Amino acid sequence: MRRGILSTLALVLLVVQAWAQDATVTVKTTEGEHVINRNIYGHFAEHLGRCIYDGIYVGDDSTIPNTDGVRNDIIDALVELKVPVLRWPGGCFADTYHWMDGIGDPAKRPSIVNQWWGGSVEDNSFGTHDFLNLCERIGAEPYLAGNVGSGQVKELADWVQYVNHPGGSPMSGLRIENGQKEPWNVKYWGVGNEMWGCGGNMAPEFYANLYRQYSTFMTDWTNSDGLYRIASGANGADYQWTEVLMRDIPKPLIEGVALHSYSVIDWGKKGPAKNFGEELYFKTMKAALFMEELVTKHIAIMDKYDPEGRVDLIVDEWGGWYDSKESETMGVLYQQNTMRDAMIAGATLNIFNNHADRIKMANLAQIVNVLQAVILTNEEKLILTPTYHVMKMYNVHQDAVLLPLELETSDYEFQGEKLPAVSASASKDESGAIHISLVNIDAKESQTVILNLDGTDNKKMTGEILASDKLEDYNDFDEADKISPKKFSGFKGKNGEYKVTLPPFSVVVLELK
């Protein structure tokens, strides 16, 4: 009987090995040139649904433990995540937001109707001071999105003065009067948002001229490197938009140009956040992997007008976007976060890493309770999503030197279509440790990766994996840790040559010291 069991197990192992597909990753460990900017791992918080109110901010009279109204558990989670930069207050909301409504005595602040997202009435209790103080607490750089669509040049110029001027000016005096003596020295500024759409339905030529006007009056007093001004960039594959901005805006007036792209299969019917099945999963991953073509083509246009690389590409909105019935009860654009979202995050971050020569910031949409959130809350409860865990696993790449690699991969096939099954990126940190992030998007089959790391003396390999039994698995408020990173030992080898087995729909980060 025992012999029969062993024979059966051996047969199962042979079958599993037959299913496993081969990929080859060759990491050029001595050829690193570009640094992976930590801001590629940035986030985005908009006044939308329950992201700010009843998410990040519960008020200082809440029974939920908080610091100046911001949930302590969220602060702790974001510190642990090493959030490098946080964009606020939008999004579409930014071009209806008047920053002076959110300063001074909260009891005297006017309310606003959130015309873009559900028509809710907000009391402006969370404003500039609250956001910038939050950024300080979590160690993140603030990225303020200015109102160009419904605002005025003076309004944005005054905001810059309010947060950055050391003292002696009208706006710095107002800041000091409101309790903040020292300036925050905010570096990153968005000059409008989605000007092709909710920001004003503008033509690119019109916006380019408007941008020139606004950026001219955004004077900086304290930052020796100057302000970092980001133009509202293209919607996905609108390459003409990037062409016009790069052609018409003088380089001294612009530091970054944005790009927005979501992993959406059909804007008219996005599909469910849960119980989606393999067909919708495949289509979603096809949309996510399209990011490679998008950034490559936009960068080519930027190179034509800016061969010196002075202007950076900023992907300040990206992520999965689905139709969710939970939005009816849990807030506008609330959606669950499954292993599918972990695949989107891992594959997309690999793309951003590998284009670190031009991509200097990216902002996942959004940080709490909205779209591909890293944190979900329900009253006093909080859960960390699979996306949170991927971004935490990947934070070893922040400010590390990108290591070029060559990748050959088999395909993930579904109903006659094919996608590359494996994606990868690699970096070397200040200590000399090498990190390799590997993603297998195949919903059914393992992938065997032959990993070559010639030129390194590092010998000790360890690993971490995010995986689950089912593609549609997620963490919920009754089972918060169903999906979490585990120690990974699915590799063997030595002297720079390793064989790594990636389970279906998994994310692995290896460390070689």
Side-chain angles (χ1 to χ4, degrees):
M1 183 67 179
R2 181 176 175 80
R3 182 179 300 171
I5 292 173
L6 291 175
S7 298
T8 302
L9 288 173
L11 180 61
V12 169
L13 288 173
L14 286 173
V15 170
V16 169
Q17 290 173 357
W19 281 351
Q21 303 296 302
D22 285 340
T24 302
V25 176
T26 302
V27 181
K28 301 177 181 180
T29 62
T30 61
E31 298 184 21
E33 179 182 357
H34 303 287
V35 172
I36 298 173
N37 194 305
R38 61 187 284 114
N39 290 337
I40 283 174
Y41 292 84
H43 292 264
F44 172 32
E46 182 171 1
H47 286 246
L48 196 172
R50 292 171 53 245
C51 182
I52 303 296
Y53 298 109
D54 199 32
I56 293 172
Y57 186 79
V58 292
D60 55 14
D61 59 349
S62 173
T63 58
I64 297 172
N66 67 85
T67 301
D68 295 332
V70 176
R71 291 178 63 132
N72 290 340
D73 52 2
I74 283 183
I75 292 173
D76 293 342
L78 297 182
V79 169
E80 189 74 16
L81 193 57
K82 296 182 180 178
V83 174
V85 63
L86 183 58
R87 180 175 179 241
W88 174 86
C92 291
F93 183 82
D95 282 289
T96 62
Y97 183 69
H98 301 283
W99 68 270
M100 292 193 74
D101 291 344
I103 62 172
D105 183 354
K108 297 179 180 179
R109 296 179 191 177
S111 295
I112 182 175
V113 175
N114 193 331
Q115 68 184 68
W116 292 115
W117 303 116
S120 59
V121 177
E122 301 187 5
D123 63 5
N124 275 308
S125 55
F126 187 91
T128 297
H129 289 246
D130 305 278
F131 172 70
L132 297 179
N133 291 338
L134 167 63
C135 288
E136 285 187 349
R137 290 189 183 103
I138 66 174
E141 289 270 4
Y143 169 12
L144 293 176
N147 182 345
V148 172
S150 68
Q152 298 177 337
V153 174
K154 184 180 184 301
E155 182 178 10
L156 183 50
D158 282 349
W159 203 11
V160 175
Q161 186 184 123
Y162 185 86
V163 301
N164 282 5
H165 199 283
S169 72
M171 290 298 107
S172 63
L174 182 59
R175 180 193 71 237
I176 294 169
E177 182 183 323
N178 288 330
Q180 179 70 25
K181 181 179 179 181
E182 299 300 324
W184 287 283
N185 297 328
V186 176
K187 180 176 181 178
Y188 298 105
W189 294 83
V191 186
N193 168 78
E194 295 190 356
M195 308 311 293
W196 38 263
C198 60
N201 284 305
M202 298 176 186
E205 292 82 2
F206 179 84
Y207 171 64
N209 282 329
L210 200 60
Y211 174 92
R212 292 165 65 139
Q213 180 187 16
Y214 271 76
S215 62
T216 297
F217 287 92
M218 294 173 68
T219 306
D220 177 59
W221 296 269
T222 58
N223 191 322
S224 60
D225 295 327
L227 296 183
Y228 191 103
R229 295 154 298 185
I230 300 168
S232 172
N235 178 21
D238 185 355
Y239 303 112
Q240 178 63 16
W241 188 275
T242 300
E243 183 97 24
V244 171
L245 298 194
M246 293 301 297
R247 182 194 69 203
D248 291 358
I249 298 174
K251 300 306 174 288
L253 294 177
I254 182 172
E255 285 71 47
V257 62
L259 169 66
H260 288 183
S261 179
Y262 289 90
S263 303
V264 174
I265 60 175
D266 183 340
W267 283 100
K269 188 176 181 181
K270 303 180 189 73
K274 300 186 294 187
N275 304 316
F276 41 82
E278 188 176 0
E279 180 178 1
L280 291 183
Y281 168 71
F282 186 92
K283 290 179 178 179
T284 302
M285 294 313 302
K286 183 178 180 180
L289 295 180
F290 183 59
M291 183 68 79
E292 173 66 36
E293 179 178 327
L294 279 178
V295 298
T296 299
K297 289 185 175 180
H298 282 291
I299 289 171
I301 295 168
M302 297 172 72
D303 287 344
K304 181 170 70 170
Y305 293 97
D306 176 33
E308 300 86 3
R310 290 178 294 177
V311 180
D312 302 326
L313 182 60
I314 309 297
V315 190
D316 58 14
E317 288 189 29
W318 67 275
W321 191 331
Y322 319 113
D323 296 319
S324 175
K325 291 184 179 180
E326 289 175 297
S327 291
E328 298 172 5
T329 56
M330 296 293 284
V332 177
L333 297 192
Y334 179 96
Q335 59 190 40
Q336 251 299 349
N337 198 287
T338 68
M339 281 300 299
R340 171 174 63 175
D341 298 288
M343 298 300 101
I344 292 173
T348 303
L349 291 170
N350 281 340
I351 293 170
F352 293 161
N353 286 348
N354 289 326
H355 288 277
D357 57 331
R358 269 286 190 179
I359 299 178
K360 301 300 182 182
M361 185 193 296
N363 305 82
L364 177 67
Q366 293 184 8
I367 197 162
V368 179
N369 289 335
V370 171
L371 299 180
Q372 194 172 339
V374 295
I375 296 171
L376 300 176
T377 67
N378 184 11
E379 297 178 344
E380 77 285 352
K381 295 181 180 180
L382 175 147
I383 57 174
L384 307 177
T385 69
T387 299
Y388 177 98
H389 295 306
V390 172
M391 297 199 80
K392 184 180 176 184
M393 291 167 65
Y394 272 49
N395 68 26
V396 293
H397 291 303
Q398 291 185 16
D399 291 336
V401 175
L402 174 69
L403 297 179
L405 57 78
E406 294 177 354
L407 169 65
E408 295 180 8
T409 175
S410 57
D411 293 320
Y412 166 33
E413 300 186 31
F414 183 80
Q415 294 183 349
E417 287 195 81
K418 298 179 180 179
L419 294 173
V422 174
S423 73
S425 64
S427 67
K428 181 186 292 187
D429 67 19
E430 288 183 349
S431 73
I434 293 172
H435 295 97
I436 306 101
S437 47
L438 300 167
V439 179
N440 173 21
I441 67 167
D442 197 306
K444 299 183 293 290
E445 297 186 355
S446 298
Q447 302 290 323
T448 299
V449 177
I450 307 303
L451 180 61
N452 298 309
L453 295 127
D454 294 335
T456 178
D457 294 328
N458 295 2
K459 298 183 183 300
K460 183 181 179 182
M461 179 173 279
T462 57
E464 195 172 27
I465 184 171
L466 192 75
S468 195
D469 294 335
K470 297 179 181 178
L471 185 58
E472 296 167 322
D473 282 348
Y474 55 86
N475 295 332
D476 63 23
F477 298 102
D478 295 321
E479 195 173 2
D481 296 319
K482 183 172 186 176
I483 301 171
S484 61
K486 303 291 191 298
K487 182 179 178 182
F488 178 69
S489 57
F491 56 85
K492 59 182 178 179
K494 59 181 179 178
N495 299 326
E497 295 184 2
Y498 299 87
K499 186 175 183 180
V500 184
T501 302
L502 305 177
F505 55 94
S506 63
V507 178
V508 167
V509 175
L510 301 171
E511 180 178 76
L512 192 65
K513 286 187 174 181

